[in-house]
Every structure is written in structure tokens, then in C-alpha cells.
Amino acid sequence: MTDSVSVRTCPLCEASCGLEVTVADGRVTKIRGDVDDVFSKGFICPKGGSLAALHEDPDRLRAPLLKQADGSFATVTWDEAFAEIERRLPPIQAAHGRDSVAAYLGNPGAHNLSALVFGRVLLKALGTKNVTSASTVDQYPKQLASGWMFGTPLSVPIPDVDRTDHLLILGANPLASNGSLMTAPDIRGRLRAIRERGGKVVVVDPRRTRTAEAADEHVFIRPGTDALLLFAMVHVLVTEELADPGEHLDGLVTGLETVRALALGFPPEAVADACGIPAETIRRMARELAEAPTAAVYGRMGTTTTAFGTTASWLVDVLNVLTGNLDRPGGAMFTTPASGSPNTSGEPGRGRGVRTGRFSSRVRGLDEVFGELPVAVLAEEIDTPGEGQVRALITLAGNPVVSTPNSERLAAAFDELEFMVSIDIYLNETTRHADVILPVPSPLERPHYDLALYAFAVRNVANFSGTLFEKPADMPHEWETLLRLVGIVTGQGAGVDVAALDTFVATEAVRRESNTTSSSIAGRDVDEILAALAPRVGPERILDLLLRAGPFGDGFVAGADGLSLAGLEAAPHGVDLGPLQPRMPAVLRTPSGQIELAPEPLVRDVDRLHEMLDAWTAASGAGERPMRLIGRRDLRSNNSWMHNIQPLVKGKPRCTVWVHPDDAARLQLVDGEDARVSARVGVIEIPVQVTEDVMPGVISIPHGWGHDLPGVRMQVASAHAGVNSNILADDQELEPLSGTAILNGIAVELEPARVPVGA
Ligand SMILES: Nc1nc2c(c(=O)[nH]1)N[C@H]1C(S)=C(S)[C@@H](COP(=O)(O)OP(=O)(O)OC[C@H]3O[C@@H](n4cnc5c(=O)[nH]c(N)nc54)[C@H](O)[C@@H]3O)O[C@H]1N2
Ligand SMILES: Nc1nc2c(c(=O)[nH]1)N[C@H]1C(S)=C(S)[C@@H](COP(=O)(O)OP(=O)(O)OC[C@H]3O[C@@H](n4cnc5c(=O)[nH]c(N)nc54)[C@H](O)[C@@H]3O)O[C@H]1N2
Ligand code: SF4
Ligand SMILES: [Mo]
């Protein structure tokens, strides 16, 4: 039998690399980078190469599991699984109201057409306010700041890395993460190119990361103090007459005076000690940024998941604006996604902006953001009795027991649930709590288009992958499973006509599009558009709609050239739609029709930053500042869920705590021996790795480990269990504006594990 070679996009992270997959006798024999991919040009990382192992993983679930009375799981048919859900879930809703069922949506859902399009349909059908997701352990601060400044959560400026002369990276390690809110395969090559064309890359990080090593300059910073550094840089710009948004933004910026006044309170000399960065370095960084022909500031997890995540995210773009770099080539620009920009209320250039707090959580009264509650409220909403208590949970592609704060409380809370359903591919730390686990086809058994992350790409690109292998005959597509759940929670039952429901969803989507005056199909006949989409169904039908109605689409005009799904199917290496284009002012959806440089909620919160600065300054003596815990991504991990792939976990154990030699000596910690790390909410023991790659006063532990919990059915992962760092993350202390958990900069204490507890 001859080999067949096909190409597809890797769905595992934001880089969206093209893969060339060789199949012989129905099995993948080789995966390598697709050199003809218009975007990734052959780049691949070890995870992409392991898709076949994931597909073949014997622990990956192929049939639904139903929990038995003794707590074990039995394999059941799909009809039995849905029947059980229908028997148990609606009565809870009927007795206790819609809010009694919570939902949690995890990260792989953001790279999954089915979950993206139909997850939303399920949430709507559930009608619960208790919707949570990985967004509040991740990027919400960036989206909130962007929403306030530019008008929508999706109007996030992306560093134009391929044309910039100067890139300032804060709290991101794209050489390990492959980039985030910056879809950019082969970031190493792109950073190298900046340097080769005479530009400069600066990395601000409490840790000497791979990215820091590949940069021109690495500046250590104390965790959680980026907002101070950024404010001080703004201070330099405004006091040294370096602030100039540029002619291209004339009349489009409001709030500059307010920002100027606020920044006066943060001279570099005042923040230097707190940040651990000399004032002169801060001044130089600001000047270099302003003086570079083009420059972009980019911040990620190390800026967002901190006590001042929204503030830091805001100030990143304040710097982009003040240095004249917003919305111009080589600066920070807005992607033009081929699928259009959803969530854009209002007309181009002006809109309703974003508002938070339309409802709030029951126990702590925390505000909704973009229709979600902070995931850190999930445990208390379950374990606090009373009217409105959460009694059931649906998880979709999420592992909150490992990935979200105060893991031990959350796991205990899950045990109290009356009913839980997980749509997932593994029996893992979270899904072991479920009553029913519904698996989904593997990434090789479904089509792929990175609908969400192409919206944050450093070039405008589109690439669609079809199905490589047929899914098991009786297994529904993930979207079909979601629609059956919709049937159940809306009283139509598990036997709901999925095809009819799907057509209903598509009809609504077409109607919305034709009712949007700025759409290229505004006013068009809904039935005509639906007919043009036939015979496609499910997420591919919606994708075709979005592509054709989108900014590069054929507009459903016969004979017009322009994108369509059929066009993408004929272009397996993808379609390059060119470099990022200036999008001002049309991209704005703020009420003022301008860039809101000084959003009111952020301005009001500056007092809190002053308080933090005062507290840091007061506690300047050695030993008076707590040790701070930060995270550490590794190229071969993917949050919590790819540790069951042998080639990705082999080698030296990676789940260690990094400690600076000075701290190790002071605390009598020995390399290779265990340390006990304690925080307000929990304690873990973990092997010490002494290294100068982390700054004094800071320790680093990777997240996503701790696979030795009872009931987990992931043989490889359990043999390489590691420890769950989120046992230390606090569910009560959140970034107040976005409700995002503080995962970087957690106050901890450290001692040798050989010291008896409490000694
Ligand atoms: N301390 C600390 N904690 C962190 C972070 C950190 O940096 N430090 N990072 C945070 C970030 S950025 C994120 S995004 C979150 C991630 O948080 P989560 O999304 O909750 O966690 P993941 O580990 O990504 O778990 C993904 C789950 O989806 C399942 N899965 C995989 N593919 C599919 C699929 O195709 N369909 C379905 N239905 N299920 C699938 C996996 O088996 C797994 O159970 O973790 C956060 N937690
Ligand atoms: N290999 C791999 N790739 C991934 C993932 C993965 O788990 N593994 N996860 C994916 C997901 S879901 C996401 S969201 C992205 C995340 O992508 P990134 O944000 O690029 O990933 P991190 O490695 O968390 O980078 C955060 C950096 O911030 C630093 N840091 C910590 N605290 C501070 C601070 O206070 N200030 C500053 N300036 N820096 C700080 C950390 O040392 C770290 O280097 O990665 C994605 N890609
Ligand atoms: S970098 Fe991301 S998209 Fe590319 S191969 Fe690795 S996991 Fe897949
Ligand atoms: Mo993430």
C-alpha cells in the first residue's frame, strides 16, 4: 500500500502550524512541518508531531462513561449516556432554577470549531448565569482593557512582529508557548528577523526564559509590578516630551491629559525599588521605545494574571499609542480576520463599548465580565448552601481541578455536586468527578479552522483542514453532542432532531448577518443565503457563512472571487491575505468613537496601585517581602492535558520549583531535595532546582501537573505525575476589575520538606 500525504493545521496552540501528515495502512507514519504552509512555512514543535500519539493513545476515550454506584466508571452506549443526562439534569433545573447548573469551558474549545460555534448555543440554552471559563485564568484582563479602550473584547492590538524595529515583551515566553494573542508560528524565526534587520528585542521577565535568551536585552522584574514599570515609562514619555500618538490618530484619542496627570505620580525613581529595575534603565527603555522608527509593546500571561492585570494590559497599549505605534505598520495593529469580527455591536467607528457587572455572583457579589463569572467563584458557588446554589455542572474541554485556583477546594466541591457532565477526551483530574463523560472525535477525525485565534494573527491568513480519519461510526461529532444536550436542557429531550436544531442555528446566524448593516450581505434574503450554503451542515456551514460574508469573502455573489470554504478546501496550504492593515477608525466601537486612553474604571483603580507601591516601598528590607511564585511553561506541555503522551514527558522530571542560589542558601534548600511551599490556601511538596535563571525572591513552578489523583485514567501522566501548583493559587484574591485569578506573583513561604510540618 502506498503512503498518502495530506496537510492540516495543528489545533494544539495558537501558532496554528501547518502539518504534513503521512498515512500508510490507515495509520499516521510521519508528521512534519508543512513547508508550503503560507504562514508557518514548515515550522513545527514537538507537540504537533505528537498528534498521532494523541490519536492512538489507548487512554483517550472512545465511548461514553457512566459512573456506577461504587464510583467506578462503566462504558455505555451513546443513547444510554444521553438518557442518564436526560433523567438527571432537567429535574435539577426544574427544582432549583436555571442558575443551579453551572458551566466551565476550557482552552481546547477555543481551538475547536464545534465547541466554538455550538458551545455558545448550549450556554444560551442552559440560561444560567454561572458560566465560567479558562478566560479568567488567562486573557480577560487584556480583553477588558482593550474593550474599554477600543470598544470590543476582540479589538486587541497585536504586535506587528514582521515589520517592527523594536519589540518590548513583558510577561510572555513565546519561545516556549509559541505565542498567545499573537498567532505567529515560528516566533523564534520572527524575533531573529527583527534583530537581523537591525531592530531590538527586549524581554521583561522575573525569569531568564528562552525568549529572554534570544533577545537583545533581558530585564528582571519583580512579579506583579509591571503596571508600575509601564506607568513609569509613560511618565518618561510625557515629561520628556516624547509622547505623540502621531498624525494618523489625529482627533481619534481622548483621555491623554488624564493619562499624563496619572503618570506624573509614577516617576521611575519611585517605582525602581518595587520593580527591582534601576530608574535609569526604565528611562532608557522608554526613550528607546519612543525613538525606534517603529516599535510594539506586547504583554501576556505574566502581565494579565497578576493583581494589576487589567492595568498593565491597558498601559501596554497606552505606550503603543503614545509612541505613535498604534495601528501603523511595525507597531501594534488590529488583525482583519477572514471570518469577520464578531461581537461588534454598533457601526464601524462607534459603538456601545463594553460594560461589566450586568449581573454578579451569588456568594461574593463579583461582577460578570463579557457574560461570564470568574472561575474562582465556582467552588464557593457549589459549596455554599442557600438559594441559588450550584448543584450541577457541565465542563466542556476543561480541566479546572488542575488549571484553576484553589484546586483542593474545587475538587472537594465537585464531590458535592448532584450531577456533573464532562465533554472530554480523558478520564482526568476533573472528569473523574463527572457522572457522565462524553468523548469527542480526535483532532484527526474532525475538520479544523482556528476561528478564534486567527483573529489575533500577525498576518491575515485563513487555512481550513478537512477530516483525515473517519470518526468511530457511533460517536457523534462534538457539535452533535452539544446539540443533543441543548435538546435535553430545553425540554426537547435527548432524541431531539439534531439536524433541525442545526438548521435553526444556521438560520439565526444568517439572519443576524443579514440584519447587520455593515455586513456585505446586509439585507439579503435569508433563504437564498441558506440555499447557497447547502449542503453543508454544522460548524462548516457557519464557517462558510462567516468567510463569505467576511471582509475577504465572495459576498455570496455568483462568479465573484473572494473567500469561501470551498476556496479554502482547494488551498490546503492556506491562503495568505497579506500583512496587517491599518484599521482606524473603523475598528473602534467605543461610545466616543475615539480611543479611550483613560477608561474610567482603570483611572479609578490607580489609587490601588499607589497603595501597592507604598506597601512595597515600606517592606523594602530583606525578608520583609514575601517570596513570590510565578509559573513556567514548557514547550512539551500544553496546560494540563498532554502529559499522557510518552515522547512529551520522557526525560528528567520537569515539575520542579526553581529557586535562586541566594534563596536556597538562606532557606537551606538543597538541589534535588523536596521543598515545602505554602500559600494561604494550600501546601505542596516539590523537588528543588537551584538556578540563577530565576531572580532572587522569586520561585517558579510549572502549572498543569498533579496527575496522581485517585480515579485518573491516564497511565503515562500518572507515572509522571508532578504536583499541581494551583493548590497554591488563591480563589479569594483576584484582580478586581476582570475577576482574573492571580497565578503569577502568589505570596508563598518555602522551607525544606525534611523540616517537620509546623516545626
Ligand atoms: N498556575 C497557573 N495556572 C494556569 C495557567 C498558568 O499559567 N499558571 N494558565 C492558565 C491558562 S492560560 C489556561 S488557558 C488554562 C487552561 O485551563 P483548562 O482549559 O481548564 O485546562 P486544560 O489543561 O487546557 O484542559 C483541557 C481539557 O480539555 C480536554 N480536551 C482536549 N481536547 C479536547 C477536545 O477536542 N474536546 C473536548 N471536549 N475536550 C478536549 C482535555 O482532556 C482536558 O481535560 O489554565 C490556566 N491555569
Ligand atoms: N508549550 C506550551 N505552549 C502553550 C501553553 C502551554 O501550556 N505549553 N499554553 C497555551 C496557552 S493556553 C496560553 S494562554 C499561552 C500563554 O503564553 P505566554 O504568556 O507566552 O506563556 P507563559 O509561559 O505563561 O509566559 C508568561 C511569562 O511571564 C513571566 N512572568 C511571571 N510573572 C511575571 C510578572 O509579574 N511580570 C512579568 N513581566 N513577567 C512575569 C513568566 O516567567 C513567563 O515567562 O501559551 C499557550 N501555549
Ligand atoms: S507550535 Fe503549536 S500549533 Fe505549532 S506544532 Fe506546536 S503545538 Fe502545534
Ligand atoms: Mo490560555
Side-chain angles (χ1 to χ4, degrees):
M1 194 174 171
T2 51
D3 293 357
S4 74
V5 175
S6 61
V7 295
R8 56 191 303 104
T9 309
C10 176
L12 295 175
C13 90
E14 297 177 42
S16 63
C17 303
L19 308 177
E20 188 191 275
V21 184
T22 307
V23 174
D25 297 326
R27 281 196 64 188
V28 174
T29 52
K30 187 163 73 187
I31 296 184
R32 61 177 192 187
D34 172 19
V35 289
D36 296 320
D37 186 279
V38 295
F39 198 23
S40 61
K41 303 196 162 92
F43 178 82
I44 185 175
C45 89
K47 292 189 297 300
S50 73
L51 271 180
L54 175 65
H55 177 73
E56 290 172 7
D57 184 350
D59 289 333
R60 187 174 59 79
L61 303 179
R62 273 103 170 148
L65 296 182
L66 179 65
K67 187 167 279 164
Q68 308 297 296
D70 66 358
S72 69
F73 280 98
T75 300
V76 294
T77 66
W78 282 90
D79 283 339
E80 285 167 335
F82 284 115
E84 179 70 2
I85 298 169
E86 184 169 1
R87 190 174 72 79
R88 294 181 59 187
L89 195 55
I92 295 174
Q93 291 178 299
H96 304 288
R98 299 229 147 230
D99 292 339
S100 65
V101 182
Y104 174 82
L105 284 76
N107 172 272
H111 300 279
N112 173 329
L113 265 181
S114 276
L116 269 172
V117 177
F118 291 91
R120 235 173 280 158
V121 179
L122 175 59
L123 290 183
K124 201 155 176 230
L126 273 175
T128 173
K129 73 171 190 178
N130 289 307
V131 175
T132 60
S133 82
S135 289
T136 47
V137 281
D138 189 351
Q139 84 291 350
Y140 257 21
K142 186 68 205 174
Q143 291 189 278
L144 185 55
S146 299
W148 280 330
M149 294 178 81
F150 308 111
T152 88
L154 296 177
S155 37
V156 175
I158 307 303
D160 185 11
V161 285
D162 292 346
R163 288 180 290 184
T164 197
D165 299 292
H166 186 103
L167 182 62
L168 172 60
I169 300 175
L170 303 110
N173 184 14
L175 261 57
S177 70
N178 281 302
S180 180
L181 295 184
M182 176 181 70
T183 300
D186 188 18
I187 193 69
R188 181 188 282 280
R190 291 173 202 268
L191 296 185
R192 195 190 303 126
I194 296 176
R195 302 181 65 190
E196 279 168 5
R197 60 179 179 262
K200 183 168 184 180
V201 179
V202 181
V203 171
V204 178
D205 200 301
R207 196 158 59 80
R208 195 187 327 274
T209 61
R210 285 161 153 255
T211 310
E213 277 164 12
D216 295 274
E217 183 178 357
H218 172 215
V219 179
F220 280 111
I221 185 170
R222 289 221 173 85
T225 64
D226 295 73
L228 294 173
L229 166 68
L230 292 162
F231 244 139
M233 291 178 69
V234 174
H235 178 102
V236 176
L237 298 183
V238 300
T239 54
E240 298 188 6
E241 316 274 305
L242 292 169
D244 179 8
E247 265 171 40
H248 67 296
L249 298 185
D250 263 356
L252 288 173
V253 182
T254 177
L256 214 142
E257 279 315 310
T258 308
V259 165
R260 185 191 302 269
L262 292 172
L264 291 180
F266 297 95
E269 290 69 21
V271 307
D273 177 48
C275 297
I277 305 174
E280 215 24 65
T281 304
I282 299 176
R283 289 188 180 276
R284 179 175 54 78
M285 287 168 70
R287 289 174 194 141
E288 286 179 2
L289 190 70
E291 283 158 12
T294 62
V297 187
Y298 165 70
R300 208 43 202 91
M301 286 294 283
T303 55
T304 54
T305 53
T306 67
F308 290 88
T310 310
T311 311
S313 299
W314 163 52
L315 293 170
V316 161
D317 285 322
V318 167
L319 282 176
N320 282 322
V321 171
L322 294 185
T323 53
N325 284 302
L326 189 92
D327 198 45
R328 71 156 172 159
M333 304 188 74
F334 301 96
T335 311
T336 310
S339 59
S341 306
N343 276 6
T344 42
S345 55
E347 288 303 295
R350 194 184 287 270
R352 268 181 285 151
V354 302
R355 216 155 40 90
T356 65
R358 288 163 297 178
F359 56 90
S360 52
S361 70
R362 172 182 68 107
V363 177
R364 225 186 305 174
L366 293 182
D367 280 349
E368 151 279 337
V369 174
F370 306 138
E372 281 184 23
L373 291 172
V375 64
V377 308
L378 194 52
E380 70 195 16
E381 292 298 331
I382 298 168
D383 69 21
T384 312
E387 179 80 31
Q389 182 179 8
V390 168
R391 294 160 190 274
L393 174 69
I394 299 179
T395 69
L396 173 59
N399 190 5
V401 165
V402 178
S403 294
T404 76
N406 202 347
S407 301
E408 288 179 333
R409 179 177 182 184
L410 190 63
F414 284 179
D415 277 335
E416 290 181 32
L417 287 167
E418 289 171 26
F419 190 61
M420 176 168 162
V421 180
S422 288
I423 304 152
D424 207 288
I425 59 174
Y426 283 113
L427 172 43
N428 65 14
E429 301 79 11
T430 292
T431 61
R432 72 197 166 114
H433 296 274
D435 296 284
V436 181
I437 308 177
L438 302 172
V440 305
S442 97
L444 300 179
E445 294 167 340
R446 63 185 189 225
H448 179 67
Y449 180 91
D450 214 318
L451 195 56
L453 282 316
Y454 279 146
F456 306 106
V458 300
R459 273 184 87 83
N460 298 319
V461 287
N463 199 339
F464 175 80
S465 314
T467 298
L468 180 62
F469 294 132
E470 286 306 315
K471 64 179 176 57
D474 59 338
M475 181 188 281
H477 290 289
E478 191 158 356
W479 60 272
E480 291 172 322
T481 290
L482 290 165
L483 286 182
R484 283 187 84 172
L485 293 175
V486 168
I488 291 171
V489 302
T490 54
Q492 303 169 77
V496 67
D497 182 344
V498 167
L501 208 49
D502 174 43
T503 294
F504 174 79
V505 170
T507 308
E508 286 302 297
V510 173
R511 187 165 289 140
R512 233 181 358 257
E513 200 61 47
S514 92
N515 283 338
T516 304
T517 42
S518 55
S519 168
S520 70
I521 62 162
R524 296 278 291 274
D525 180 60
V526 172
D527 289 330
E528 176 210 331
I529 301 291
L530 281 171
L533 292 167
R536 295 189 192 278
V537 296
E540 285 148 285
R541 170 157 57 181
I542 304 282
L543 176 62
D544 196 26
L545 167 68
L546 297 176
L547 291 171
R548 297 174 75 177
F552 303 97
D554 68 8
F556 291 91
V557 176
D561 39 283
L563 277 190
S564 64
L565 187 48
L568 289 188
E569 282 167 333
H573 306 289
V575 174
D576 180 29
L577 301 163
L580 303 185
Q581 298 295 327
R583 289 188 63 197
M584 292 287 286
V587 72
L588 294 176
R589 292 294 185 283
T590 51
S592 63
Q594 291 180 299
I595 297 171
E596 305 270 359
L597 208 58
E600 226 266 319
L602 284 160
V603 170
R604 253 186 288 133
D605 196 46
V606 170
D607 283 346
R608 190 172 62 92
L609 190 60
H610 276 290
E611 284 161 25
M612 191 248 311
L613 177 56
D614 293 346
W616 272 93
T617 310
S620 65
E624 286 178 60
R625 287 175 179 161
M627 299 285 288
R628 298 276 170 182
L629 166 65
I630 62 169
R632 186 166 90 239
R633 277 182 162 74
D634 184 276
L635 191 57
R636 286 165 300 151
S637 291
N638 202 13
N639 296 313
S640 74
W641 70 277
M642 288 190 68
H643 293 146
N644 209 49
I645 309 296
Q646 184 66 44
L648 296 179
V649 290
K650 68 170 189 236
K652 272 195 291 183
R654 316 201 279 273
C655 189
T656 58
V657 56
W658 282 12
V659 183
H660 188 274
D662 294 353
D663 292 319
R666 181 171 54 87
L667 299 167
Q668 299 180 335
L669 295 165
V670 178
D671 191 90
E673 290 184 8
D674 278 4
R676 185 178 302 118
V677 186
S678 349
R680 193 189 70 84
V681 296
V683 185
I684 61 173
E685 294 191 356
I686 177 169
V688 171
Q689 202 175 332
V690 177
T691 167
E692 285 186 345
D693 286 345
V694 68
M695 69 190 285
V698 178
I699 62 168
S700 168
I701 303 177
H703 75 288
W705 297 88
H707 305 299
D708 51 357
L709 296 178
V712 169
R713 195 187 293 171
M714 299 190 300
Q715 284 193 49
V716 177
S718 298
H720 300 262
V723 190
N724 177 1
S725 69
N726 280 322
I727 289 173
L728 302 171
D730 207 313
D731 58 330
Q732 295 297 307
E733 238 185 87
L734 308 180
E735 194 270 341
L737 300 173
S738 67
T740 299
I742 299 168
L743 305 174
N744 282 296
I746 300 170
V748 289
E749 286 179 12
L750 211 58
E751 61 182 352
R754 60 180 184 270
V755 174
V757 178

